[in-house]
Amino acid sequence: MSVRPRILLTGGSGQVGWELRRSLLALGEVIEPDRERYDLCRPERLARLIRDLKPRWVVNPAAYTAVDKAESEPERCQRINAIAPAVLAEAAHAVGAGFIHFSTDYVFDGAKHSPYTEDDPTAPLNWYGTTKLEGEQAVADVSRDGAWLVLRTGWVYGGRGHNFVRTMQRLMSEKTQLTVVDDQIGAPTWARSIADVAAQVLAYCQSPSAMAEYAGVYHVSCAGATSWYGFASRIRDRLLAAGMEAVAELSPTDSAGYPTPAARSPYSVLDNSKLARRFGLVLPPWEEAFMLAAPEFGL
Ligand SMILES: NC(=O)C1=CN([C@@H]2O[C@H](COP(=O)(O)OP(=O)(O)OC[C@H]3O[C@@H](n4cnc5c(N)ncnc54)[C@H](OP(=O)(O)O)[C@@H]3O)[C@@H](O)[C@H]2O)C=CC1
Ligand SMILES: Cc1cn([C@H]2C[C@H](O)[C@@H](COP(=O)(O)OP(=O)(O)O[C@H]3O[C@@H](C)C(=O)[C@@H](O)[C@H]3O)O2)c(=O)[nH]c1=O
Ligand SMILES: [Mg+2]
């Protein structure tokens, strides 16, 4: 009788974690430690659980994702985004489990004008990005020649959790006029697309020892690019098409016209060709993914 492999999943209440719950089901027994009983500010408890359960895979989409708040909560952000991934990856390595971690386009400063590859130099502009980069590097370091993947994505939205789509939906119904930045360019990415890729990569690898051959950083974002203003315009179109009557007018501004505590990259489009080369996986254009996702937002 074959035993279903154990998959330990963190962050199941978040955007990507929620989708991973579903996409990982086909691959094994998904174990989600009770959030009441662990806090990634103190990851040792979870590391102990990894040592006890000896899962085949540890999948870690949990993170501190409040980009602006991170500037005034630096220590908490660093514990969750940099220290916890290292402790979990170390435990995974110790029991021979494969570790999948997630990171962000905000590790780049945006000075480039063409999509970033995994080999491009990193230079985060804000604290969130700084801690995410530390997390990536720590995972690579402690995993040594073991099985680990860092999937870097960007501009994530999904039916669960906080995201730009929800924020725009709310503001467009509450206000008559909205100003949105048009000088930050990226690729809106549906959480479900990311979770599907993660599951397909695991299915492809089958075993941690096979994953070790593919260990590294991979860019995983929807194809194409737009500005936040461009994305907001598309959200507005859907609201109008869904019959909403009082929808705020939109106007573009530069970043100086919408000051925020954390600086954001002017350009953070990711080149996904390594994912296609190594695993044969391609994500849809962001507009197509957004059409598919729209019903999750009642659109
Ligand atoms: N959101 C985005 O636009 C982007 C995200 N990413 C990366 O993708 C990954 C997934 O992001 P996303 O799904 O959006 O994240 P969310 O913010 O939607 O979810 C974060 C998850 O982490 C959990 N979490 C936060 N703090 C703790 C803690 N102290 N202890 C235990 N669990 C905790 C949350 O649980 P709880 O709710 O119970 O606190 C939640 O389940 C992250 O690595 C993120 O950095 C990359 C690019 C863009
Ligand atoms: C609400 C609002 C935001 N904005 C701007 C602020 C900011 O520059 C941009 C996006 O705002 P948000 O705060 O929603 O997005 P932000 O938190 O920067 O999103 C980031 O989250 C982290 C977790 C990531 O990893 C990144 O890939 C990215 O998705 O839009 C406006 O211009 N007008 C508005 O009314
Ligand atoms: Mg945000």
Side-chain angles (χ1 to χ4, degrees), residues 65-69 106 162-164 167 228 264:
T65 57
V67 177
D68 287 320
K69 202 171 163 198
Y106 281 13
H162 296 286
N163 56 63
F164 187 77
T167 305
W228 291 110
R264 280 154 174 90

Side-chain angles (χ1 to χ4, degrees), residues 142-158:
V142 303
S143 305
R144 294 179 286 275
D145 56 354
W148 63 278
L149 299 175
V150 171
L151 307 183
R152 262 193 210 142
T153 187
W155 295 31
V156 177
Y157 63 90

Side-chain angles (χ1 to χ4, degrees), residues 15 64-68 103-106 126 128 132 153-157 163-165 167-168 170-171 175 178-184 228-229 251 253-255 257-260 262-264 268:
Q15 303 194 81
Y64 184 108
T65 57
V67 177
D68 287 320
S103 190
T104 175
D105 55 342
Y106 281 13
N126 54 46
Y128 162 76
K132 290 298 292 183
T153 187
W155 295 31
V156 177
Y157 63 90
N163 56 63
F164 187 77
V165 181
T167 305
M168 287 296 123
R170 178 173 50 78
L171 293 177
K175 301 199 170 204
L178 267 185
T179 311
V180 180
V181 297
D182 70 348
D183 60 353
Q184 296 168 24
W228 291 110
Y229 173 76
S251 51
T253 180
D254 60 10
S255 296
Y258 193 90
T260 51
R264 280 154 174 90
S268 60

Side-chain angles (χ1 to χ4, degrees), residues 184-231:
Q184 296 168 24
I185 309 296
T189 300
W190 188 16
R192 185 170 300 173
S193 306
I194 303 164
D196 286 344
V197 160
Q200 282 168 308
V201 167
L202 290 185
Y204 184 97
C205 291
Q206 299 263 333
S207 70
S209 58
M211 182 190 275
E213 312 261 326
Y214 296 95
V217 177
Y218 291 83
H219 287 175
V220 179
S221 62
C222 280
T226 188
S227 67
W228 291 110
Y229 173 76
F231 191 20

Side-chain angles (χ1 to χ4, degrees), residues 32 64 66 75 80 94 108 127 137 160 170 174 179 187 193 206 208 210-211 246 254 267 295:
E32 283 191 63
Y64 184 108
E75 205 196 329
I80 297 169
F108 296 114
W127 185 245
Q137 291 168 342
R160 279 285 169 139
R170 178 173 50 78
E174 288 172 2
T179 311
S193 306
Q206 299 263 333
M211 182 190 275
D254 60 10
Y267 182 90

